[in-house]
C-alpha cells in the first residue's frame, strides 16, 4: 500500500471538506492542491475530485437531516416543506442545464491554475463590493424564500461553472443581492449543493467509472471520509461565524491567495503550466 499516496488523498479530502461550502472555491483549491502534490494523473484525479465531493454533500445532508425529512414528509401538501423542495429544484435547474451543455468546453479551457487565481481575485473584489452595499432583507429565513428569489440564486450559481468562482460564494452573495438574510442565503446555499453537486457528481462518476480500479478504493475512501468530516466542521463553523461577521475576511483571503499564485507563476517559483 502506498502510504504517501494515502496521505496526499487525506490532504485533498481535507481541502475539499473545508472549502466546499465556504465562499472560496473548492474546485479552485483542489486544482491548485492537486497540482502541487502531483496527485494522480489528470483523468483519475478528475474522477477522484468528483467522488470525494460526495463526502461533503453527505455532510450537509446529515447536518440538515431533520429539515430534509420534514420537507419530504410534507411534500404532498402546501407548506414550508413543499416550498423548500420546489425552491431547490428551481434553483438547481440553470446550473445543471448549463453544466450539461458547456461543462466539457469550460473544463478544457478554464480548468488551470492561472484562471483559478484570476477568478479568486475577481470574486474577492465582488464580495467586498457586495458587503459595502445596503442590504434590504425580504427573506429572513429559508421559509421566506420565494420561487422568484430561488430562480435568481440559481442563475447566480451558474457563475460557479468558472473554476475559482465558488458555488457557495456565488449563491450566498447572490442571495444577499436578492434580499436573503445571511442566514437564509447560507443555509439555502448549503442545501442547494445537494441536488446540484449530487446530480453532477453521480453523472460524472457514471461516465468515468471504467477509469477506477480496485487499487483506487483505499485512496478514494480516505478522501471521501476526510471530506465528510471536515465539511461537517466547516458548515457548523460558518453558521456560527456569520451570526456576528460579514464575508469580508473570505474576500481578502481570495484576493491574497490569487495574487500569491500569480506571483509564483510570474517569478517561476512554481511551474503552474506543467
Amino acid at each position: 500500500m502506498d502510504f504517501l499516496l494515502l496521505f496526499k488523498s487525506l490532504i485533498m479530502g481535507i481541502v475539499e471538506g473545508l472549502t466546499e461550502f465556504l465562499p472560496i472555491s473548492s474546485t479552485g483549491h483542489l486544482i491548485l492542491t492537486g497540482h502541487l502534490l502531483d496527485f494522480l494523473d489528470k483523468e483519475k484525479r478528475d474522477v477522484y475530485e468528483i467522488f470525494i465531493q460526495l463526502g461533503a454533500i453527505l455532510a450537509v445532508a446529515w447536518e440538515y437531516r431533520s429539515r430534509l425529512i420534514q420537507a419530504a414528509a410534507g411534500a404532498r401538501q402546501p407548506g414550508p416543506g413543499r416550498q423548500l423542495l420546489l425552491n431547490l429544484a428551481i434553483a438547481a435547474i440553470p446550473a445543471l442545464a448549463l453544466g450539461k451543455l458547456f461543462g466539457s468546453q469550460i473544463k478544457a479551457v478554464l480548468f488551470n491554475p492561472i484562471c483559478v487565481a484570476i477568478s479568486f481575485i475577481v470574486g474577492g473584489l465582488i464580495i467586498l463590493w457586495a458587503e459595502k452595499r445596503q442590504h434590504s432583507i425580504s427573506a429572513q429565513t429559508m421559509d421566506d424564500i420565494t420561487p422568484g428569489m430561488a430562480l435568481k440564486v440559481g442563475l447566480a450559481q451558474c457563475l460557479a461553472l468558472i473554476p475559482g468562482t465558488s458555488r457557495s460564494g456565488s449563491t450566498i452573495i447572490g442571495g444577499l443581492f436578492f434580499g436573503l438574510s445571511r442566514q437564509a442565503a447560507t443555509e439555502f446555499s448549503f442545501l442547494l449543493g445537494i441536488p446540484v453537486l449530487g446530480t453532477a457528481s453521480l453523472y460524472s462518476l457514471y461516465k468515468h467509472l471504467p477509469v477506477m480500479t480496485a487499487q483506487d478504493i483505499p485512496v478514494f475512501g480516505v478522501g471521501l471520509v476526510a471530506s465528510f468530516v471536515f465539511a461537517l466542521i466547516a458548515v457548523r463553523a460558518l453558521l456560527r461565524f456569520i451570526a456576528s461577521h460579514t464575508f469580508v475576511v473570505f474576500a481578502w483571503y481570495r484576493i491574497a491567495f490569487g495574487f500569491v499564485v500569480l506571483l509564483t507563476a510570474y517569478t517561476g517559483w512554481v511551474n503552474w503550466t506543467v
Side-chain angles (χ1 to χ4, degrees), residues 70-72 74-88:
Q70 290 175 0
R76 293 186 178 183
Q77 54 190 13
R82 178 192 286 185
Q83 189 62 54
L84 174 60
L85 297 178
L86 177 62
N87 286 342
L88 291 175

Side-chain angles (χ1 to χ4, degrees), residues 87-96 98 147-160 170-171 174-175 178 188 192 196:
N87 286 342
L88 291 175
I90 291 172
I93 289 173
L96 289 174
L98 286 180
M149 291 177 181
L151 177 59
K152 291 177 183 177
V153 171
L155 292 172
Q157 182 176 229
C158 293
L159 294 172
S170 60
T171 51
F178 303 134
F188 190 68
L192 185 54
V196 173

Side-chain angles (χ1 to χ4, degrees), residues 2-38:
D2 190 336
F3 289 102
L4 178 59
L5 186 58
L6 290 178
F7 179 68
K8 291 180 179 180
S9 177
L10 176 64
I11 294 175
M12 292 286 284
I14 291 172
V15 169
E16 162 63 22
L18 290 178
T19 60
E20 183 61 63
F21 297 105
L22 301 182
I24 55 176
S25 177
S26 63
T27 301
H29 280 79
L30 287 175
I31 291 173
L32 297 175
T33 305
H35 186 97
L36 289 173
L37 293 176
D38 191 24

